[in-house]
Amino acid sequence: MPPVADSVAVPPRGRRVQETIAQLRERILGGEWPVGGRIPTEPQLVAALGVGRNTVREAVRALVHAGVLECRQGSGTYVVSTDELAPVVARRLTDDRMAEVVEVRRAFEVEAARLAALRRTPEDLAALDGALAAREAAWHGGRVDEFVEADAALHTAVVAAAHNGMLAELYASVGAALRSTLTQSMGHELEPERYVDHSRLVDAIRAGDPERAAIEAGAFLERPSRA
């Protein structure tokens, strides 16, 4: 697997920023912050790394630019890749290639659901329940942007429950493109006919039924403009 973005451009702040980038990279590669997971908040990073707020901010910004991290408004900063594949994929999976994006989602999510049903842990099930509840709350809240983030978080939790590191990295690399196309498909308002219940997917994973989980994961992707 390629190393994490060794070509990250270092801001003028110099050695401290470069060292902080290296520390962040080391923790990502070491699995402390897995792909799909959220990194600590800025104040927590300042305390953990022993550097100033501006140094942390510039180091995080550099890794965001490299496609390793992604800032999600109102949610935090997430690890989206351990290499530079993410921005390359994002440039190819643009909004005018919706059909291809759906096919890519199906390839990843159906297998992820099947594996999750076989490998899920109690911690995974707790994460899935929390993500499902957050998705429902976001839908009832009526904000498209919040729902898109919550829906993406649920699907990411399913992929995480599959416990396949390569699958998680590949899925994360197309995350931004998937959210973009979902936002486009949802339009400006959350309309009742676009709602898809994902509780049966979570139930199938909980039941340890890989075939039913795969069917549930693939079914909603057969229908256009749904999440």
Side-chain angles (χ1 to χ4, degrees), residues 160-176:
H163 293 278
N164 181 309
M166 184 172 293
L167 176 60
E169 289 185 17
L170 289 171
Y171 186 77
S173 73
V174 301

Side-chain angles (χ1 to χ4, degrees), residues 5 14 32 41-42 79 95 97 109 112 118 123 161-163 171 184 190-191 199 213 216:
E32 182 175 344
T41 63
E42 186 175 282
V79 179
D95 291 345
R97 303 176 74 172
E109 294 179 14
L118 295 171
E123 292 76 17
H163 293 278
Y171 186 77
Q184 180 191 61
L190 298 178
E191 301 175 356
S199 62
E216 290 294 339

Side-chain angles (χ1 to χ4, degrees), residues 21-175:
I21 291 172
Q23 290 182 70
L24 295 176
R25 181 188 295 123
E26 181 178 353
R27 296 189 181 208
I28 293 169
L29 282 174
E32 182 175 344
W33 304 327
V35 171
R38 183 171 58 187
I39 70 171
T41 63
E42 186 175 282
Q44 290 172 329
L45 289 175
V46 168
L49 302 177
V51 295
R53 185 180 296 267
N54 287 339
T55 300
V56 166
R57 190 171 299 158
E58 290 181 16
V60 168
R61 187 181 300 125
L63 290 175
V64 168
H65 179 73
V68 175
L69 298 177
E70 179 180 85
C71 294
R72 302 177 188 172
Q73 186 174 5
S75 180
T77 302
Y78 290 76
V79 179
V80 295
S81 180
T82 56
D83 56 38
E84 296 183 74
L85 176 62
V88 175
V89 174
R91 284 193 295 270
R92 295 184 62 83
L93 291 181
T94 53
D95 291 345
D96 60 348
R97 303 176 74 172
M98 177 71 74
E100 293 184 13
V101 173
V102 172
E103 290 174 357
V104 169
R105 285 191 66 182
R106 182 176 176 82
F108 286 142
E109 294 179 14
V110 170
E111 181 62 11
R114 189 186 71 80
L115 291 175
L118 295 171
R119 301 174 178 174
R120 80 286 185 273
T121 65
E123 292 76 17
D124 292 327
L125 293 176
L128 287 168
D129 287 337
L132 181 62
R135 182 180 184 272
E136 293 300 302
W139 177 269
H140 292 297
R143 288 181 57 90
V144 173
D145 57 343
E146 292 180 1
F147 175 74
V148 168
E149 289 298 332
D151 183 75
L154 174 58
H155 291 293
T156 299
V158 172
V159 173
H163 293 278
N164 181 309
M166 184 172 293
L167 176 60
E169 289 185 17
L170 289 171
Y171 186 77
S173 73
V174 301

